[in-house]
Amino acid sequence: MKKLLLLAVLIPMFALSQNDGSKLLNMSEITVKPGHESQFIAGVKMWKECYLENKGADKFNVWRRVQGEGIMYVLTGMMDNWAEMDKEDAAGKECRMKVLDFIMPHVEKVNYNIARTMPEVSKATPSEGTKFVWVNFFRVKNGAVFNDVIKETSSAIKSAEGSVRGTWYSFAGGGPDSPDYMVSTPFKSYADLDITRDGVWKIYENKHGKKKTDETRAKFRASLENSWDYLYSLNEELSN
């Protein structure tokens, strides 16, 4: 799937393995033209069918943003190293015209980002059966302080629950309005969102007391420029 938009709009998709085991996540935010969603979905299905018939090997997920303005789909995929970009993708080339003829006419714009996983503060293994992800985005003024707080709060959650709740990513470059970090928390159903759990700061307070929690939360807020969040629903039919 990494060739889907690469061939259409010449956007490279890279991933990088680090010594700490991190990788890069490719994210293409695809804004669909109003009134064109059904045609867009049909085009992606057509492309996927062609890609699989030609023995395409790339794995990818397609998510639909639940809230927010307009219709947005997000194409995500992982790679292990830069060298994978050198590999020939015969299936992608074979199906290139499907992208140009049946997908891109229904696309208003594409915003591409790369984000590196942060294993030290993330879930050790992916959650099975994930159908939804709640993603919190952060643009920061002080990355060092932000990272220190993330490490402290993640440690508190792991101590209390045995594992952290989500996967953290740091963005590699981007425009002036792009996020610097995000955390993706998985859910299996909408009903899972109704489950009440202690928040991060409550867990931290249980471990460190109110005084230190107030101080740490103040540091965290001071490190932020902005934050926002969205829920995304997995479209299994479009994913591979």
Side-chain angles (χ1 to χ4, degrees):
M1 191 63 164
K2 65 179 181 292
K3 304 299 183 183
L4 170 61
L5 295 174
L6 172 63
L7 292 172
V9 294
L10 303 179
I11 297 176
M13 288 186 168
F14 301 130
L16 176 64
S17 289
Q18 304 292 329
N19 292 332
D20 61 0
S22 66
K23 300 179 181 180
L24 285 191
L25 172 71
N26 305 303
M27 295 171 289
S28 292
E29 296 178 334
I30 306 165
T31 302
V32 178
K33 293 178 180 178
H36 288 245
E37 185 172 14
S38 60
Q39 297 97 318
F40 171 80
I41 290 173
V44 176
K45 287 180 180 178
M46 192 179 302
W47 181 90
K48 179 183 174 182
E49 181 180 0
C50 175
Y51 188 73
L52 295 180
E53 285 178 351
N54 284 275
K55 297 181 173 55
D58 285 344
K59 300 298 180 183
F60 51 87
N61 284 324
V62 178
W63 307 84
R64 190 187 192 281
R65 194 178 69 187
V66 176
Q67 319 103 310
E69 181 180 356
I71 301 166
M72 178 179 288
Y73 283 81
V74 182
L75 166 67
T76 63
M78 306 289 295
M79 291 170 57
D80 288 328
N81 50 57
W82 291 98
E84 288 193 29
M85 287 301 300
D86 293 326
K87 295 179 181 178
E88 185 76 13
D89 183 10
K93 288 185 177 180
E94 186 67 26
C95 302
R96 177 175 182 270
M97 294 309 298
K98 302 290 186 185
V99 178
L100 297 176
D101 292 342
F102 301 107
I103 296 177
M104 295 311 295
H106 310 294
V107 172
E108 183 175 307
K109 64 179 180 179
V110 177
N111 180 37
Y112 177 68
N113 280 295
I114 306 171
R116 183 161 61 89
T117 59
M118 302 168 66
E120 184 180 355
V121 291
S122 299
K123 292 174 66 69
T125 57
S127 297
E128 295 292 333
T130 297
K131 298 292 189 294
F132 301 89
V133 288
W134 199 291
V135 185
N136 296 79
F137 300 92
F138 305 92
R139 192 159 57 247
V140 305
K141 295 182 289 186
N142 191 322
V145 172
F146 181 87
N147 275 279
D148 286 343
V149 173
I150 294 306
K151 290 176 182 177
E152 287 191 44
T153 54
S154 297
S155 176
I157 295 172
K158 187 174 183 179
S159 177
E161 301 183 351
S163 173
V164 293
R165 295 176 178 177
T167 302
W168 279 92
Y169 302 84
S170 62
F171 279 69
D177 296 323
S178 297
D180 296 307
Y181 298 90
M182 73 177 186
V183 58
S184 174
T185 305
F187 296 91
K188 295 181 179 180
S189 66
Y190 277 116
D192 282 351
L193 296 169
D194 291 323
I195 298 174
T196 301
R197 295 192 292 180
D198 285 341
V200 172
W201 296 114
K202 177 61 176 175
I203 293 173
Y204 191 83
E205 183 177 337
N206 291 341
K207 183 176 177 64
H208 295 288
K210 188 176 186 308
K211 184 176 184 296
K212 184 171 182 181
T213 300
D214 290 343
E215 293 172 351
T216 303
R217 182 157 43 188
K219 286 169 53 180
F220 179 74
R221 289 174 175 170
S223 73
L224 286 180
E225 180 179 329
N226 199 3
S227 64
W228 61 97
D229 55 277
Y230 290 110
L231 176 67
Y232 297 85
S233 173
L234 178 66
N235 188 314
E236 296 182 84
E237 193 174 7
L238 301 184
S239 302
N240 182 36

